[in-house]
């Protein structure tokens, strides 16, 4: 990862800002991975975007589960239906490798009553995406699934073992009219599967799933007008693995709208936050794929074991660490945690050291660094060649 040096006066300003951030973050009660409905006073907050009820978030959605949709990302599938919808683009888009070096996406919404008219192309379930959706207690919606065979544990097994509520087009009641095909593009059949967003509430009712959310990951957002850091991040290039080297995702920061843009999906897709998670991956071969003798597919599996990460927001980047704790995604602010540890060490030398040390040694979670808005998560291999290149400069 390449970063330009920060000018001395900016470094001094950063030091002051970090002190102020520490005062704020260590004094906040909200944290990534919380389990209670997110509210600010009388104002309800979208747990995935930080949007308040005053800004259009329906507080009734706090009493419903997150909905997650598997959407294809092969070149033939782009641009995806609904991805850049002016009103209802996904709250969170997760992108990671599936097999043969290609990536797939998982779209998550906190309010399944506010979805694009069409979502797609819908594609099949894979175990890593199912497990990631479980961190948000999501209902998982997909078109097909991978099946267990030999050493490969497929999506069908994970659904059963983990007791995941899911809707599969290939087995769902067609009377709802949830799924369809769009033949307006000159592509093969596998790239035509779509879902009608307005039919999702009826489909979930038909399925009879639990509607009240249980404990799940709820992100936390700060609203103070300072940068995530003073490490510039004007361009971000994400390589998922050595096998997926042709599938790099490129982001460019626009200082006018203060968002990151990419044309990789054959549209102008914008995000407020880029969250990059490094995770160990493993390739598992499955022979006689789709019954074809000699046809072997190599599935990419993620450990979901935590590790290093990066957060890009407001044209800047900061180092984070992440882990899964009590079934929830936890984001840790590396610099703030280090500062807290140093403060605890200093306090340990003072007369009133014991209480101060106990209060200051817990990891500081990412709070003020997440700006209200929508997030893209890049799931990058930590052990099979995943890499992120960041460049940028802060103007005088």
């Amino acid at each position: 990862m390449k970063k330009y040096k920060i000018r001395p006066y900016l470094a001094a300003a950063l030091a002051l800002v970090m002190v102020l951030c520490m005062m704020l973050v260590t004094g906040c009660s909200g944290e990534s991975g919380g389990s209670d409905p997110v509210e600010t006073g009388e104002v309800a907050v979208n747990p995935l975007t930080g949007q308040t009820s005053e800004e259009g978030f329906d507080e009734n959605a706090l009493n419903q589960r997150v909905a997650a949709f598997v959407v294809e990302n092969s070149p033939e599938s782009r641009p995806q239906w609904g991805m850049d919808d002016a009103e209802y683009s996904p709250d969170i888009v997760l992108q990671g490798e599936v097999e043969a070096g290609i990536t797939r996406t998982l779209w998550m919404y906190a309010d399944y009553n506010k979805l694009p008219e069409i979502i797609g192309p819908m594609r099949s379930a894979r175990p890593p995406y199912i497990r990631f959706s479980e961190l948000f207690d999501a209902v998982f919606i997909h078109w097909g699934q991978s099946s267990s065979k030999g050493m490969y544990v497929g999506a069908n097994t994970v659904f059963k073992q983990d007791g995941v509520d899911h809707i599969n087009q290939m087995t769902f009641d067609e009377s709802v009219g949830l799924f369809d095909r769009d033949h307006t593009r000159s592509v093969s059949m596998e790239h035509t599967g779509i879902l009608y967003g307005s039919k999702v509430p009826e489909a979930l009712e038909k399925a009879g799933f639990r509607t009240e959310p249980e404990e799940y990951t709820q992100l936390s957002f700060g609203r103070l007008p300072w940068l995530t850091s003073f490490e510039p991040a004007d361009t971000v290039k994400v390589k998922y693995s050595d096998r997926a080297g042709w599938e790099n995702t490129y982001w460019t920061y626009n200082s006018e709208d203060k968002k990151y843009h990419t044309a990789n999906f054959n549209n102008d897709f914008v995000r407020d936050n880029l969250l990059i998670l490094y995770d160990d991956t493993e390739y598992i071969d499955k022979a006689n794929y789709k019954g074809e003798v000699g046809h072997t597919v190599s599935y990419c599996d993620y450990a979901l074991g935590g590790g290093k990460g990066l957060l890009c927001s407001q044209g800047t980047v900061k180092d984070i660490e992440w882990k899964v704790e009590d079934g929830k995604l936890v984001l840790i602010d590396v610099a703030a945690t280090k500062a807290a540890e140093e403060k605890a060490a200093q306090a340990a030398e003072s007369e009133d050291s014991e209480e101060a040390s106990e209060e200051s040694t817990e990891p500081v979670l990412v709070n003020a660094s997440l700006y209200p808005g929508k997030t893209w998560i890049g799931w990058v291999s930590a052990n099979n060649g995943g890499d992120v290149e960041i460049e940028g400069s802060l103007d005088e």
Side-chain angles (χ1 to χ4, degrees):
M1 183 171 63
K2 181 178 180 181
K3 304 176 188 174
Y4 287 96
K5 293 183 179 179
I6 307 301
R7 299 175 181 85
Y9 74 89
L10 289 177
L14 174 61
L16 176 60
V17 168
M18 291 304 294
V19 171
L20 293 174
C21 285
M22 277 297 301
M23 294 172 64
L24 171 71
V25 174
T26 56
C28 286
S29 58
E31 58 186 44
S32 298
S35 59
D36 297 326
V38 180
E39 297 183 0
T40 303
E42 298 298 322
V43 180
V45 178
N46 183 327
L48 304 186
T49 69
Q51 180 190 40
T52 69
S53 54
E54 294 178 343
E55 298 166 331
F57 175 64
D58 186 349
E59 64 182 38
N60 292 321
L62 292 176
N63 298 315
Q64 68 185 36
R65 296 171 66 184
V66 170
F69 304 86
V70 181
V71 181
E72 185 184 3
N73 188 43
S74 66
E76 296 84 357
S77 71
R78 306 168 190 164
Q80 288 89 335
W81 287 285
M83 188 177 210
D84 60 346
D85 186 276
E87 290 186 275
Y88 304 131
S89 68
D91 291 344
I92 293 176
V93 171
L94 171 75
Q95 184 175 358
E97 187 178 358
V98 281
E99 71 262 353
I102 63 174
T103 66
R104 191 161 292 179
T105 61
L106 185 71
W107 300 4
M108 291 191 285
Y109 289 85
D111 188 350
Y112 55 71
N113 290 292
K114 295 182 178 180
L115 300 174
E117 179 181 353
I118 295 176
I119 293 176
M122 297 292 295
R123 283 308 294 266
S124 58
R126 295 290 187 271
Y129 293 78
I130 300 170
R131 296 188 179 108
F132 195 92
S133 77
E134 290 182 68
L135 303 179
F136 293 82
D137 188 34
V139 176
F140 196 91
I141 303 176
H142 57 109
W143 190 310
Q145 61 192 17
S146 65
S147 300
S148 298
K149 185 177 183 180
M151 298 298 293
Y152 175 68
V153 178
N156 62 329
T157 299
V158 175
F159 281 133
K160 292 178 181 178
Q161 289 180 343
D162 293 6
V164 177
D165 289 334
H166 67 107
I167 291 177
N168 182 1
Q169 182 276 342
M170 302 185 78
T171 58
F172 191 63
D173 187 346
E174 293 183 0
S175 66
V176 175
L178 178 62
F179 298 96
D180 201 352
R181 289 193 182 275
D182 186 303
H183 297 285
T184 59
R185 301 177 179 181
S186 299
V187 294
S188 60
M189 183 71 73
E190 63 184 306
H191 310 302
T192 63
I194 61 173
L195 173 148
Y196 294 115
S198 62
K199 297 290 187 178
V200 169
E202 181 184 354
L204 295 179
E205 182 178 357
K206 182 81 173 180
F209 297 143
R210 166 176 54 84
T211 56
E212 289 286 325
E214 295 181 348
E215 291 192 356
Y216 67 102
T217 301
Q218 299 185 6
L219 303 179
S220 296
F221 299 85
R223 291 179 175 269
L224 296 179
W226 55 48
L227 301 177
T228 297
S229 75
F230 277 170
E231 293 283 351
D234 294 332
T235 61
V236 181
K237 173 186 174 182
V238 179
K239 175 185 174 185
Y240 299 90
S241 74
D242 284 332
R243 298 194 184 193
W246 63 277
E247 187 73 314
N248 299 337
T249 304
Y250 299 85
W251 295 89
T252 302
Y253 180 68
N254 185 318
S255 59
E256 293 185 2
D257 63 11
K258 301 186 183 303
K259 298 178 185 293
Y260 283 93
H261 295 245
T262 184
N264 274 79
F265 306 107
N266 291 356
N267 56 25
D268 181 22
F269 188 53
V270 298
R271 297 280 97 175
D272 298 276
N273 301 301
L274 307 181
L275 180 60
I276 295 149
L277 306 179
Y278 286 91
D279 195 9
D280 285 345
T281 57
E282 177 185 8
Y283 294 100
I284 306 172
D285 292 336
K286 179 180 176 181
N288 300 335
Y289 180 62
K290 293 184 177 180
E292 300 176 15
V293 177
H295 185 185
T296 299
V297 64
S298 185
Y299 288 107
C300 180
D301 197 15
Y302 287 81
L304 204 60
K308 295 182 179 180
L310 296 167
L311 172 62
C312 299
S313 185
Q314 302 290 295
T316 66
V317 60
K318 75 186 310 178
D319 293 320
I320 66 166
E321 292 179 354
W322 70 279
K323 63 180 179 178
V324 174
E325 187 173 76
D326 297 327
K328 295 183 284 293
L329 177 66
V330 178
L331 306 177
I332 300 169
D333 187 321
V334 174
T337 299
K338 182 179 179 180
E341 291 172 348
E342 291 175 350
K343 180 180 177 182
Q346 293 174 357
E349 299 176 359
S350 68
E351 294 182 357
D352 301 324
S353 63
E354 184 175 348
E355 181 177 352
S357 178
E358 290 177 355
E359 292 180 354
S360 305
T361 54
E362 289 296 318
V364 177
L365 306 185
V366 174
N367 278 303
S369 299
L370 276 173
Y371 276 77
K374 301 191 174 185
T375 298
W376 173 86
I377 302 176
W379 213 353
V380 175
S381 174
N383 60 326
N384 280 303
D387 189 30
V388 180
E389 295 181 13
I390 296 179
E391 295 186 359
S393 62
L394 293 177
D395 295 332
E396 297 269 359

